[in-house]
Structures are given as structure tokens and as C-alpha cells.
Amino acid sequence: MAEIFKNISKIEYEGADSKNPLAFKFYDADKIVFGKKMSEHLPFAMAWWHNLCAEGGDMFGRGTADKSFGAKVGTTEHAKAKVDAGFEFMQKLGIKYFCFHDVDLIPEADDIKETNNRLDEISDYILSKMQGTDIKCLWGTANMFSNPRYMNGAGSTNSADVYCFAAAQIKKALDITVKLGGRGYVFWGGREGYETLLNTDVKFEQENIARLMRMAVDYGRSIGFKGDFYIEPKPKEPMKHQYDFDAATAIGFLRQYGLDKDFKMNIEANHATLAGHTFEHELRISAINGMLGSIDANQGDCLLGWDTDEFPFDAYSATMCMYEVLKAGGLTGGFNFDAKTRRPSNAYEDMFEAYILGMDTFALGLIKAAALIGDGRIDEFKKQRYSSFSSGIGAKILSGKTDLKELSAYAEKLGKPEGPSSGKQEYLESVVNQVLFGK
Ligand code: XUL
Ligand code: CO
């Protein structure tokens, strides 16, 4: 088969002093950091939709990038050319996973039976490409937001017929995910929300979404899917309000409907910031609830109010992310670059340079997070900060063997509390800078 990215050879690690744009400066796959190979800490994935499908169109102009890969767009040959391009791309970068929506793989037909036939054919082709490589599927999902039938939602639709189409798409996407050995299955509810409460029965819609998720779990388990289901929280866009607003909301929803044993979170950095949170906040909330599953690695622009899906460049943010991931003991999923090159970055090299940037940023984040933990000052400070609960009345509170009467008597005896001690934020921030930039 003809090489597609002709002037680009395998991307190698050349180190921080390299000036070669097509080399890794920080990502050194086999290097041991914090007890494991970098590649084990960082199971990177390629997002089929941005990398192989999106041509850079926006609301004001059409695409600028050529993603035909030598075939006529919209044909079976094109679907296969995307697979060829994707595998060549992943192999050249040393990426071991990919993520997909059903309709990223093939053009959707008018009749769902025909769509499913196309999905069977292309997934056979992907499977044949996987053989002889170490490339695997990280997660699959069904696109239940682009087709006009989902204008009122998928699980949250007012139309029982449309609900059945959502169910059919999930069933097929699960079949393919299992066929390709996927580690996870994602629900991102882009249309699961509302534009106005005037026409919306929130309780009814949420119960119907939960029913659909329950059926997905039951079907998935019945065909041997052993991985995690994920909710990918996002507060808004395209809907004004989305039910999976943030990790805390999604975790509450899963617990309410008894889905928390089968689901974890897929946290996307840009979704976190749209919800008014930091990336690390969403990771922390997921981790402390035992639900940190996977990550959509990208970044937003704090000056813009929408999901810009930029390749991660912010080394502070990546460090804070990897600090949370290391503290949580790693991910069961991976790091999917749900990110697109900027519209004017329309050359093949830009696709590679974007992934090099993303992989290097997370490698840097990993190295620096390990250094922060190794330095120990932050963890030690945090431990000390709560030390009044290690003995005396504090320990009694933690044991649960006290009550308001006893605590009130204790307070009256003291008359006035000591402290509390300084939070020392500025000192801790300077420790971070020292670890990041000191020699
Ligand atoms: C949309 C988004 C999706 C999900 C998968 O903001 O992040 O691409 O990752 O449907
Ligand atoms: Co995403």
C-alpha cells in the first residue's frame, strides 16, 4: 500500500535540545519515570474524528485541510484510505490506541441497515490492519448528536422512535468496540440537555437517559464487554445546558440510577474549563470517588467561551493533571487527543507536529509531576495542614464517637480557637515554579 505521509519518517526522541520539529523533545517511550515506562503511564490515543475526518471548517468558512488521502471523499475507498492513513500516522508516532465514533468510520447511509453493513465492512478492515501491530482500540462511541433526528436529544428525546435509533446505534457501536477489543465505551451527551425549561421535563429525560445506559450495560456485558463505560461531562455546547454538567453532577446521576459500578469518568480538559473548573479539579473529584477512568487530552482558551479543542501546550496544566493521575495510581483508560490543529495549520506536517506537541506536553507533565511528588514539600504541607485531626478532639471527630454536645462543651472550655494556620498558597506556588524551572 502506498505511503501517505511521504516526507515524514518515524518520529524519534531526540531530547530537549533538539531543534528538529519532527522529533520528540520530552516523550521518550521506554524511559522509566515514577517506576514505569513513559509509554505505560501515557497510553496515548488518536481521535479518529479530528485527525482523519475534520478538514478545519468553522461557522464562517469551509475546510482548509485535505483529508481525502488520495480517495474520493464519501466513498468506501475513502473510508479505507482513512484507516490506512490512521495506522501509518499512529505507527510513525508510536501511538498505540485510537478512539472513534461510529460515523467517523464510514459515511452514514439513509437506512440504518446499510449504515450497519458499512460498519461491518470497515471494522473488518480495521481489524485486519490491527493484526501484526500493537495498536488497539481505547474506546468507541456512537455519534448521537450530528444527525438531525437527535435535535431534541438521543436518550432525552421526546420521540420514542428516535430513542430506538439511539439504542440501535449504541448496540452497533458496542458490537464494533468489542470486535476491536476496546478498553472502554463513551457516552458524551452533546444533545442530552435543554434549550429552555419551558418545553422540557427534566426528570423524565434523565430517567430515560438512565434507562438507555442500563440497556447499554446489559447488552455490553452480554456480548463480553469487560471494560468501563464512561460519561464524558460537559456543561454546555451544543446545548445551553447539558445534564452531564461536570464530574460531580455525572457521578451523582450514576449513583442515583445504580450505574456507578459500570461507569467511570472520561474527563476532557476543555470541558472542565467550560464548567468553570480547572482540569485538575475534575480529575480530583473523579479520583476521590473511584471513578477516574480516561482523559480527553486537549486544552481550551480562557478568552473564548467555547470548546476550542486545542492541542495541549500548557505545561502547568499537564503537570497538575499528571500529579492527579499519579496520585490516583494511573488510569484504566488512556489519553485521547480530542484536539484539532488550528484552521490555518493545514499541512500533513501540522498533524504530526500537533501530536508531538501534545505527547511532549504530557511527558513533561509526567516528569514534573513525579518531581513534585519526589520533592515532597507539597504533600508534606498538605498532611501537616490537617494534623489537628490526628490526635485529641480531632481524632475523636474522625472516629465518629462524639456529638455536638461534647464538641460544644469543648469549644466553651477553650473560649477561643487557636489558628487556623496559614494556607501558604504563594509559598506552594513558588515550590511548583522551582520544581518546574529550577535546575
Ligand atoms: C465533544 C467531545 C466529543 C466526545 C466524544 O465536545 O468531546 O468528541 O469526546 O463524543
Ligand atoms: Co471529548
Side-chain angles (χ1 to χ4, degrees), residues 97-165:
Y97 295 92
F98 61 88
C99 299
F100 71 90
H101 300 84
D102 46 2
V103 299
D104 301 336
L105 304 180
I106 43 94
E108 194 176 2
D110 282 342
D111 187 312
I112 193 166
K113 289 194 291 296
E114 171 57 18
T115 304
N116 286 346
N117 289 339
R118 293 179 188 178
L119 285 170
D120 287 337
E121 191 185 342
I122 201 72
S123 52
D124 282 344
Y125 189 62
I126 296 174
L127 201 57
S128 71
K129 292 286 287 199
M130 285 167 72
Q131 273 149 21
T133 75
D134 52 0
I135 293 175
K136 303 179 200 69
C137 171
L138 184 66
W139 52 256
T141 187
N143 177 327
M144 305 193 298
F145 43 89
S146 295
N147 193 297
R149 66 175 169 264
Y150 296 122
M151 71 176 190
N152 292 332
S156 61
T157 181
N158 61 317
S159 158
D161 284 358
V162 169
Y163 193 92
C164 295
F165 273 77

Side-chain angles (χ1 to χ4, degrees), residues 49 101 139 141 145 188 232 234 268 271 296 307 338:
W49 53 104
H101 300 84
W139 52 256
T141 187
F145 43 89
W188 170 62
E232 184 178 320
K234 186 178 184 183
E268 178 163 323
H271 296 181
D296 269 12
D307 197 8
D338 191 354

